């Protein structure tokens, strides 16, 4: 279980996260919604050690992650899938996937994981020798998720997986993520707003200006007209 | 002009230099070292204008020094022009060279500028050697470069005072120009580019234009003092393009404080005299300077002037804020 | 017509951030742009203001500007702000605006006037000597807008100007933008995430999705358009 | 110019080009992976040669053992530089500027340390192998051939490391997307250490290979640093393939200019060629325009 409590993160003088607390139970899928530039990505990056927290704690199965280097965090199975993907453009699809299994705990089972990834994303098999820079938006998104799975995640922090995708592709990506969750991986998924995700998730957080402004079970949130109006852009 | 720490320090330095001969004018060796310090002070200040303030990694400054020296050397030996004109010619020739190297380089990213100008610097030496038919003197160099004349008085090596005060005047002029430039709109444009290049561009600042102007000015100042140097030392050769001068100027800038006017002037005096004192160490001397350079960068990144700025001296009034230190003159209407 | 884009396309590798975009903005109007994250809104601003070079044609004030750099475009009369405040952090508010006034404007004579005008328009006189690094978000955004205003733009591009502001601050800012438009005749293109603000302010709006134009028209037509609802507002609305 | 002359120029150009590639690729690798403009790189070229001189001339080891002994020393020197000079600077403002100047300071230190230990007089290394061989009308020295062979072996080993091993791929990953590399659990600091170590070996072994031809002197590395700079910029900063092409191009140009006008003209011509390339392609032959 991931337990974030009283987390504060700064960019220079600018405070991006204010005293933030959030919990993801084992096997759960938690969705975090909020407008652009309000600290959602910052939270994921702080959890995964890409940004340093100023204060507060991030406990993963009772181990403190705050202050650990990103490679140690990856080794524990806490994996980040970036909104802007961060693939290695000059490497082939296969090399990108291989890089996913860079950390020691993923290396031993690399072959099996690869088979699993190619099973859920058969398209990547066809593209295996193409450089990542030549992939289309949807293909690159699949590769980013595939590379994340190659790292043997126990916990996935997924940042706006639907960005820049057509509605059809978006649906496909969400289905795949659901499939991954069913294999027992806990997921914290960030989106600007999405009813599809809200319906998939066990628990919902809403974020504004670096603060958590709502948390609750999906059903409660979907009943609340006010929340629907502000955060789901509907109602 | 608002009186501030920079002006006070600079004026203090110039006054000290002006009165020093009262004590040392008998000691021609010390006088020589002081003149050399002033020469390096100009070259280091001009370079710092580019490196520290402009963020332009121009590594060809020593080349401009040589171009200034060779311009006046060749013109006064082969064409017989007056050394006074030669000073001007040195400045103009180097300024032009600055523009010529700046035009292709300055559109490139910072790191390319460093590489290109370093390559250019390394090419000047071979060019002087192969250009022997053009009157460069080749490997052996140019000799003797005629001295300045004032009416019937000829500057000579027995009496260093005239050289000394001429050099001081040049130093004062260059420091004045540099100060004005740092606090001009051009200086402000560099601060803006360093703080946020996209915002600066979106407000109409053209990096290339700003960089080209400041490169030309810095090259011209370096050429001017290079020309003075040529007449002062009488003989010049491609050896002046050696690594030691290149590195010494950088150490002066770092020691005094990059972008901490007039830090490089202080650096020039300290390093010149330190170098002389360490002469008995022979080749370990340069080894020590290399170590000193690294240690300074690691431990004292803002140099001596950075230290000075941290000290509260009642005479100087309250500590300047960072914004004021960068551009104290600009907010006229506070 | 003050700005016209014809067949503008910008690709990064194989990914088309903006594809084959055509639209025009009338002089004196407030033109709103909305669309989901990653739709290419900010990319579009970067193209218009000269930070990205795109294919196609952009004409501003009867001049082709698609080949010009950001500084030239600013001097011709287009100013912009950035989504995350970019300021000259080592300077004061006054100096930030001075940069815009000196370098951006046509004619260097009125520099001082323009600074004072910008300071008073955005209510920053009292803070003029403050270093910008420690300002709160609203003041940072105001300073950025004031510096842009000091370049005397004919067209001002605002990238999510009220993002991160509380409702009171947002209202203040929105009021200033309207005043800028009405009293100084500045044409405004504004990217905004909050639909209610955008529909209230805009004379016309455009919805972008996947780098393409979905619809352009009056706020009423746009928010009632079924395609907009499908793509942007979420399908449950239908 | 007869056909035979032309072939001779080509062969000599390609040989020089290959060795220049070894020098330049280490420099390019460091810039590509860690964004450091490594101005003390040339001094490691010199130190490689001096260390080889100690083992080969003073202690009378054969070349195989010289390489086996010198490479680890170079590797440690490179890592020490990264760990104790570059890494502390990385945390501060103006990294580019400070690391450039610190590099010059380190170069000054290393060069004059070499002068203090070994004296200002040049030293020479014995040939890698003595004797000559004749093929058709052309005479090759074994020295030239072994140099060529050693350079090919080193270049191939480098290729294998970068393309086929996990650690090598990690280097590429950091060069292409440092954040992406951290996401998959690569430690940037470890990769920087590795890169500096390997690059220093490349510089030093090029120094060993060239020493029998050029003599060793305390400031001798600068000439090769400048050459590496020009090659790397012309090829496109950080692009290894670009570095390969421009190393051969400039190697052949050097052989040609040397034959036509004399070796003094080589640097001016190189500089002209660089200007020309950058005028046509501002980021070098294969430099990416997305270079930051």
């Amino acid at each position: 279980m991931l337990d974030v409590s009283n987390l504060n993160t700064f960019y220079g003088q600018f405070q991006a996260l204010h005293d933030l607390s959030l919990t993801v139970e084992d096997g759960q899928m938690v969705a975090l919604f909020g407008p652009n530039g309000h600290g959602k990505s910052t939270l994921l990056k702080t959890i995964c050690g890409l940004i340093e927290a100023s204060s507060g704690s991030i406990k993963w199965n009772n181990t403190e992650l705050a202050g650990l280097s990103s490679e140690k965090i990856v080794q524990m199975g806490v994996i980040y899938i970036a909104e802007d993907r961060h693939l290695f453009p000059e490497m082939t699809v296969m090399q990108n996937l291989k890089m996913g299994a860079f950390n020691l705990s993923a290396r031993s089972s690399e072959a099996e994981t690869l088979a699993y990834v190619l099973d859920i994303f058969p398209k990547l098999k066809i593209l295996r020798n193409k450089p990542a820079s030549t992939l289309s938006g949807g293909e690159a998104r699949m590769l980013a998720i595939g590379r994340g799975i190659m790292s043997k995640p126990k916990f996935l922090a997924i940042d706006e997986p639907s960005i820049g995708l057509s509605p059809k592709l978006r649906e496909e990506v969400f289905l795949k993520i659901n499939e991954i969750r069913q294999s027992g991986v806990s997921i914290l998924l960030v989106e600007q707003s999405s009813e599809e995700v809200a319906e998939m998730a066990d628990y919902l957080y809403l974020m504004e200006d670096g603060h958590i402004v709502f948390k609750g079970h999906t059903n409660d949130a979907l009943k609340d007209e006010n929340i629907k109006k502000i955060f789901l852009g509907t109602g | 002009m608002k009186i501030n720490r920079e002006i006070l320090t600079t004026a203090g330095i110039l006054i000290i230099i002006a009165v020093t001969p009262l004590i040392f004018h008998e000691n021609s060796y010390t006088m020589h070292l002081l003149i050399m310090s002033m020469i390096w002070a100009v070259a280091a200040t001009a370079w710092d204008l580019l490196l520290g303030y402009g963020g332009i990694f121009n590594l060809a400054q020593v080349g401009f020094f040589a171009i200034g020296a060779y311009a006046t050397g060749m013109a006064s030996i082969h064409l017989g022009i007056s050394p006074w004109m030669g000073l001007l010619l040195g400045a103009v020739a180097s300024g032009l060279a600055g523009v010529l190297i700046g035009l292709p380089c300055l559109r490139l990213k910072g790191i390319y500028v460093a590489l290109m100008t370093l390559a250019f610097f390394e090419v000047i030496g071979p060019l002087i050697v192969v250009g022997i038919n053009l009157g460069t003197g080749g490997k052996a160099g140019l000799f003797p470069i005629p001295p300045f004349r004032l009416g019937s008085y000829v500057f000579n090596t027995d009496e260093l005072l005239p050289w000394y005060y001429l050099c001081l005047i040049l130093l004062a002029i260059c420091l004045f120009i540099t100060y004005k430039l740092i606090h001009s709109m051009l200086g402000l444009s560099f601060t803006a580019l360093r703080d946020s290049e996209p915002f600066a561009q979106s407000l109409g600042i053209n990096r290339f234009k700003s960089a080209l102007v400041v490169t030309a000015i810095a090259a011209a100042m370096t050429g001017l003092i290079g020309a003075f140097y040529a007449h002062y030392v009488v003989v010049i050769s491609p050896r002046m393009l050696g690594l030691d001068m290149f590195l010494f100027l950088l150490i002066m800038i770092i020691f005094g404080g990059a972008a901490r006017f007039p830090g490089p002037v202080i650096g020039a005096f300290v390093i010149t005299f330190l170098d002389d004192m360490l002469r008995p160490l022979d080749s370990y001397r340069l080894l020590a300077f290399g170590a000193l350079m690294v240690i300074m960068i690691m431990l004292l990144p803002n140099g001596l002037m950075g230290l000075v700025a941290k000290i509260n001296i009642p005479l100087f009034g309250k500590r300047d804020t960072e914004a004021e230190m960068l551009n104290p003159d600009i907010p006229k209407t506070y | 017509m003050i700005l016209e884009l014809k067949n503008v396309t910008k690709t990064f590798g194989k990914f088309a951030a903006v594809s084959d975009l055509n639209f025009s903005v009338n002089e004196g109007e407030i033109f709103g742009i909305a669309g989901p994250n990653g739709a290419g809104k900010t990319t579009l601003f970067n193209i218009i203001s000269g930070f990205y070079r795109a294919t196609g044609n952009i004409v501003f004030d009867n001049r082709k500007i698609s080949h010009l750099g950001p500084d030239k475009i600013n001097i011709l009369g287009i100013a912009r702000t950035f989504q995350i405040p970019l300021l000259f952090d080592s300077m004061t508010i006054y100096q930030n605006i001075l940069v815009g006034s000196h370098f951006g404007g046509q004619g260097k004579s009125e520099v001082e006037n323009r600074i004072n005008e910008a300071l008073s328009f955005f209510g920053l006189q009292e803070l003029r000597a403050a270093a910008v690094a420690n300002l709160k978000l609203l003041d940072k955004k105001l300073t950025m807008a004031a510096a842009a205003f000091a370049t005397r733009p004919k067209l001002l591009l605002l990238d999510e100007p009220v993002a991160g502001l509380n409702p009171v601050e947002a209202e203040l800012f929105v009021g200033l933008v309207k005043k800028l438009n009405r009293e100084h005749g500045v044409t405004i293109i504004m990217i905004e995430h909050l639909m209610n603000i955008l529909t209230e302010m805009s004379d016309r709006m455009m919805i972008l999705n996947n780098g393409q134009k979905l619809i352009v028209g009056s706020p009423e037509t746009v928010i009632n358009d079924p395609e907009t609802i499908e793509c942007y507002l979420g399908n449950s609305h239908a | 110019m007869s056909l035979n002359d032309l072939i001779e120029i080509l062969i000599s150009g390609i040989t020089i080009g290959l060795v220049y590639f070894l020098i330049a690729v280490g420099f390019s690798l460091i810039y590509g992976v860690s964004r450091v403009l490594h101005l003390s790189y040339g001094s490691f070229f010199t130190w490689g040669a001096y260390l080889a001189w100690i083992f080969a001339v003073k202690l009378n080891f054969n070349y195989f053992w010289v390489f086996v002994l010198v490479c680890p020393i170079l590797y440690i020197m490179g890592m020490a530089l990264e760990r104790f000079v570059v890494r502390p600077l990385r945390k501060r403002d103006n990294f580019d500027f400070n690391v450039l100047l610190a590099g010059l300071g380190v170069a000054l230190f290393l060069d004059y340390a070499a002068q203090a230990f070994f004296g200002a007089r040049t030293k020479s290394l014995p040939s890698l192998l003595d004797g000559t061989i004749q093929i058709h009308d052309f005479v090759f020295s074994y020295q030239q051939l072994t140099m060529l062979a050693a350079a090919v072996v080193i270049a191939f080993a480098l290729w294998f490391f970068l393309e086929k091993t996990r650690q090598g791929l990690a280097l590429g990953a950091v060069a292409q997307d440092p954040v992406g590399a951290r996401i998959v659990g690569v430690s940037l600091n470890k990769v920087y250490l590795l890169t500096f170590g390997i690059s220093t070996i490349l510089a030093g072994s090029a120094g060993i290979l060239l020493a029998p031809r050029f003599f060793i002197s305390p400031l001798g590395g600068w000439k090769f640093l400048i050459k590496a700079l020009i090659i790397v910029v012309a090829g496109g900063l950080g692009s290894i393939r670009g570095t390969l092409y421009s190393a051969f191009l400039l190697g052949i140009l050097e052989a040609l200019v040397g034959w036509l006008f004399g070796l003094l003209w080589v640097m001016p011509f190189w500089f002209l060629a660089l200007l020309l390339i950058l005028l046509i392609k501002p980021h070098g032959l294969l430099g990416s325009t997305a270079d930051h």
Side-chain angles (χ1 to χ4, degrees), chain B residues 51 57 59 101 104 108 111-112 114-116 118-120 122-123 126-127 129-130 243 246-247 250-251 254 258 283-284 286-287 289-291 293-294 297-298 301, chain D residues 31 37 84-85 88-89 92 96-98 101-102 104-106 108-109 112-113 115-116 219 222 226 229-230 233 237 264-265 267-268 271 274-275 278 282-283 291:
Chain B
L51 288 177
F57 294 166
L59 299 182
I101 184 75
L108 306 169
I111 226 78
Y112 283 87
L115 297 171
M116 288 287 290
L118 188 59
F120 171 72
E122 287 291 323
V123 164
L127 276 181
V129 176
V130 298
L243 204 58
F246 182 94
L247 293 166
L250 287 176
I251 296 175
I254 296 163
S283 59
Y284 288 97
L286 288 156
L287 190 151
F289 272 111
M293 187 163 166
V294 179
I297 296 167
M298 310 286 293
Chain D
Y31 181 80
L37 211 58
F84 297 111
V85 178
L89 292 176
R92 295 211 316 247
D96 286 358
F97 178 61
N98 284 326
L101 294 179
L104 284 170
V106 171
L108 190 67
F109 178 80
Y112 286 98
Q115 182 164 333
L219 295 179
W222 281 93
I226 301 295
L229 287 182
I230 296 182
V233 176
L237 266 183
L264 261 179
W265 285 95
M267 286 313 278
F271 189 68
L274 174 66
L275 274 182
L278 288 188
H283 292 272
D291 191 26

Side-chain angles (χ1 to χ4, degrees), chain A residues 13-14 35-36 38 40 130 133-137 139 160 163-167 170 192 195 209 232-235, chain C residues 13-15 35-38 41 83 133-134 137 140 160 163-165 193 209-210 230-237:
Chain A
Q13 305 262 357
F14 175 72
N36 229 351
H38 280 227
K40 298 177 312 258
K130 288 184 80 177
S133 60
T134 61
L135 301 187
S136 72
E139 293 161 356
E160 302 211 31
I163 204 167
L165 298 185
S166 69
R170 187 162 27 174
Q192 217 172 123
E195 206 133 337
D209 202 14
L232 302 178
T234 62
Chain C
K14 218 175 142 189
F15 170 67
N37 262 359
K41 295 165 298 186
Q83 191 181 342
N134 305 322
L137 185 63
K140 284 192 177 187
E160 301 224 14
L165 300 182
H193 205 79
N209 190 35
N210 291 324
E230 151 83 25
C231 146
Y232 183 57
L233 299 174
N235 35 18
S236 70
H237 186 77

Side-chain angles (χ1 to χ4, degrees), chain B residues 105-314:
Chain B
C105 282
L106 294 174
R107 282 188 202 281
L108 306 169
K109 296 271 175 195
I111 226 78
Y112 283 87
V113 175
L115 297 171
M116 288 287 290
T117 49
L118 188 59
F120 171 72
F121 164 63
E122 287 291 323
V123 164
I124 297 176
L127 276 181
I128 290 172
V129 176
V130 298
I132 189 159
N133 295 334
L134 300 170
T136 60
K139 226 175 191 149
L142 281 176
F143 175 84
I145 299 166
F148 296 103
R149 284 162 197 279
L150 210 57
S152 59
Y153 179 76
V154 181
F155 283 49
N156 58 72
T157 45
D158 295 335
E159 185 51 82
L160 290 182
L161 265 184
W163 294 103
Y164 186 91
Y165 282 105
L166 175 58
C167 196
L168 178 58
I169 290 168
L170 295 179
L171 172 65
I173 292 171
C174 289
L175 291 184
F176 180 75
I177 294 172
T178 307
Y179 179 84
K180 277 310 211 186
L181 210 65
I182 294 168
H183 298 285
S184 68
M185 289 310 296
L186 193 67
L188 190 68
S189 75
F190 282 114
T191 312
L193 285 164
R194 196 170 41 220
D195 281 356
S196 168
E197 184 158 347
F199 189 45
Q201 289 179 309
S202 81
L203 296 177
I205 293 179
N206 184 322
R207 172 187 274 288
F208 176 69
K209 228 192 271 170
S210 298
L212 195 63
V213 172
V214 80
T215 301
I217 294 173
M221 285 200 289
T222 312
L224 175 76
I225 207 66
F228 173 85
Y229 169 87
H231 294 287
Y232 176 64
V233 300
V234 188
V235 54
I236 54 173
S237 79
R239 267 192 298 281
M240 70 198 283
L241 288 157
L243 204 58
D244 21 356
M245 180 174 164
F246 182 94
L247 293 166
F248 266 76
L249 284 174
L250 287 176
I251 296 175
M252 289 166 189
I253 295 171
I254 296 163
F255 198 85
R260 295 286 188 284
F261 182 84
V265 178
I266 301 170
F269 278 85
V270 174
I271 299 296
T272 308
F273 278 84
L274 190 65
D275 178 45
D276 188 65
M277 272 155 39
L278 295 181
R279 217 160 268 282
L281 287 179
D282 201 31
S283 59
Y284 288 97
R285 179 177 55 107
L286 288 156
L287 190 151
F289 272 111
L292 176 69
M293 187 163 166
V294 179
I295 291 167
M296 286 294 297
I297 296 167
M298 310 286 293
L299 301 182
L300 207 60
N302 295 326
L304 281 184
M305 279 302 276
L307 266 190
V308 172
K310 281 191 185 139
I311 306 166
N312 260 326
I313 304 167

Side-chain angles (χ1 to χ4, degrees), chain A residues 60-207:
Chain A
W60 166 245
N61 293 340
N62 297 322
T63 314
E64 182 59 54
L65 297 186
L68 288 187
S69 64
S70 53
E71 66 265 21
K72 293 228 174 68
I73 295 175
V74 169
Q75 193 127 343
M76 289 185 206
V78 175
I79 308 296
Y80 176 58
I81 296 177
E83 168 224 315
D84 37 1
R85 300 188 286 256
H86 288 292
L87 297 172
F88 307 118
E90 287 161 41
M91 293 189 191
T92 63
V93 167
M94 219 49 179
Q95 282 173 322
N96 266 282
L97 289 175
K98 195 178 155 77
M99 279 311 294
F102 185 83
N103 79 81
L104 286 173
S105 41
R107 248 176 241 185
S108 52
S109 52
E110 187 185 334
E112 298 155 43
T113 328
L114 185 64
Y116 172 67
V117 168
L118 294 180
D119 188 43
I120 46 175
F121 297 119
K123 188 97 190 270
L124 294 181
K125 203 179 212 163
I126 303 163
L127 296 167
R128 64 179 176 275
N129 290 324
K130 288 184 80 177
S133 60
T134 61
L135 301 187
S136 72
E139 293 161 356
R141 178 72 55 200
M142 308 274 183
L143 178 54
I145 297 172
R147 192 183 66 179
I149 301 169
M150 289 300 292
S151 305
K152 272 274 169 188
K154 298 190 182 87
F155 175 88
L156 267 181
I158 311 181
D159 202 350
E160 302 211 31
S162 74
I163 204 167
L165 298 185
S166 69
K168 189 169 162 281
L169 269 172
R170 187 162 27 174
E171 202 173 312
E172 195 183 334
V173 165
F174 286 143
L175 278 175
K176 301 289 182 192
I177 291 174
N178 209 18
E179 221 173 286
I180 295 160
R181 168 240 209 141
Q182 256 130 40
S183 72
V185 178
S186 320
I187 291 177
L188 175 58
L189 195 149
V190 158
E191 276 286 334
Q192 217 172 123
S193 64
S194 160
E195 206 133 337
E196 296 149 280
V197 173
E199 276 158 12
M200 252 159 52
D202 301 302
Y203 211 77
L204 204 67
Y205 285 83
L206 301 181
M207 193 168 173

Side-chain angles (χ1 to χ4, degrees), chain D residues 19-83:
Chain D
V19 180
Y20 284 168
F21 169 70
L22 283 190
I23 305 175
V25 77
F27 185 86
S28 180
L29 207 59
I30 287 192
Y31 181 80
V33 173
S34 70
R35 302 284 150 192
V36 171
L37 211 58
H38 185 19
L39 292 186
S40 49
Y41 188 70
S43 305
F44 290 101
F45 174 91
T46 315
W47 269 88
Y50 273 119
L51 290 172
W53 178 81
I54 295 178
F55 289 113
V57 176
K58 281 275 155 190
L59 304 173
N60 228 348
F61 283 100
N62 73 29
Y63 267 107
F64 174 77
W65 285 105
V66 168
F67 271 100
V68 169
L69 291 165
V70 171
C71 285
I73 300 178
L74 289 167
Y75 188 75
I76 291 166
M77 284 173 96
M79 291 210 300
L81 179 68
E82 203 288 326
R83 178 65 191 81

Side-chain angles (χ1 to χ4, degrees), chain D:
Chain D
M1 193 190 298
S2 71
L3 186 66
N4 269 8
D5 292 339
L6 198 68
I7 293 173
E8 210 158 291
I9 288 169
L10 265 179
I11 291 173
S12 128
I14 287 169
T15 318
I16 306 170
L18 192 60
V19 180
Y20 284 168
F21 169 70
L22 283 190
I23 305 175
V25 77
F27 185 86
S28 180
L29 207 59
I30 287 192
Y31 181 80
V33 173
S34 70
R35 302 284 150 192
V36 171
L37 211 58
H38 185 19
L39 292 186
S40 49
Y41 188 70
S43 305
F44 290 101
F45 174 91
T46 315
W47 269 88
Y50 273 119
L51 290 172
W53 178 81
I54 295 178
F55 289 113
V57 176
K58 281 275 155 190
L59 304 173
N60 228 348
F61 283 100
N62 73 29
Y63 267 107
F64 174 77
W65 285 105
V66 168
F67 271 100
V68 169
L69 291 165
V70 171
C71 285
I73 300 178
L74 289 167
Y75 188 75
I76 291 166
M77 284 173 96
M79 291 210 300
L81 179 68
E82 203 288 326
R83 178 65 191 81
F84 297 111
V85 178
V86 179
R87 192 183 298 177
L89 292 176
R90 215 180 277 282
K91 295 192 190 95
R92 295 211 316 247
D93 294 344
N94 285 333
F95 173 67
D96 286 358
F97 178 61
N98 284 326
V99 84
L100 198 93
L101 294 179
L104 284 170
V106 171
L108 190 67
F109 178 80
L110 287 176
D111 288 353
Y112 286 98
Q115 182 164 333
F117 295 148
F118 302 105
R121 295 257 292 280
T122 57
K123 302 225 174 310
S124 66
L125 279 180
S127 294
L128 299 164
L129 272 176
D130 290 319
T132 55
I133 185 174
Q134 186 165 2
I135 304 170
H136 289 292
D137 296 342
F138 305 107
V139 180
F140 299 99
S141 64
Y142 278 121
Q143 158 68 24
Q144 194 180 357
L145 291 178
T146 30
M147 191 168 92
L148 206 65
V152 169
V153 168
I154 295 171
F156 181 79
L158 182 70
W159 171 84
F160 183 85
F161 171 73
L162 288 177
E163 285 292 315
K164 299 293 165 195
T165 69
R166 205 182 288 271
Q167 293 301 328
L169 280 174
L171 251 67
V174 174
Q176 291 169 36
D177 194 325
V179 177
R182 291 182 68 195
I183 289 174
V184 298
V186 173
S187 155
L188 294 189
N189 280 336
K190 278 186 197 153
V191 166
Y192 294 151
L193 280 176
L194 186 66
T195 309
F196 269 80
I198 289 172
S199 297
T200 307
I201 290 181
L202 285 168
S205 42
I208 302 174
L209 291 181
L210 282 180
R213 262 176 74 160
F214 287 100
F215 298 110
I216 319 165
S217 67
L219 295 179
W222 281 93
K223 193 169 105 191
F224 292 98
L225 171 73
I226 301 295
K227 290 197 166 185
L229 287 182
I230 296 182
I231 291 168
V232 165
V233 176
L237 266 183
S239 161
I240 290 178
R241 221 150 34 94
T243 304
L244 182 71
Y245 295 159
S246 73
F248 282 124
L249 203 75
L250 290 167
I252 292 168
L253 181 71
E254 172 165 330
L256 190 69
V257 170
W259 194 85
L260 288 173
F261 311 107
L263 284 175
L264 261 179
W265 285 95
V266 168
M267 286 313 278
F269 267 89
W270 270 42
F271 189 68
L272 265 181
L274 174 66
L275 274 182
L276 219 74
I277 289 172
L278 288 188
L279 276 180
I280 301 161
K281 299 206 72 177
H283 292 272
L285 291 175
L286 292 183
S288 68
T289 41
D291 191 26
H292 23 131

Side-chain angles (χ1 to χ4, degrees), chain A residues 11 14 16 36-39 42 45, chain B residues 196 198-199, chain C residues 42 80-87 89 137 140-141 144 158-164:
Chain A
Y11 289 110
F14 175 72
N36 229 351
H38 280 227
T42 307
K45 287 180 188 163
Chain B
S196 168
F199 189 45
Chain C
T42 299
R80 70 170 291 183
T81 64
F82 296 84
Q83 191 181 342
I84 296 164
L86 292 180
L87 289 169
D89 277 343
L137 185 63
K140 284 192 177 187
K141 293 204 161 195
M144 190 165 53
L158 298 169
D159 194 349
E160 301 224 14
V162 303

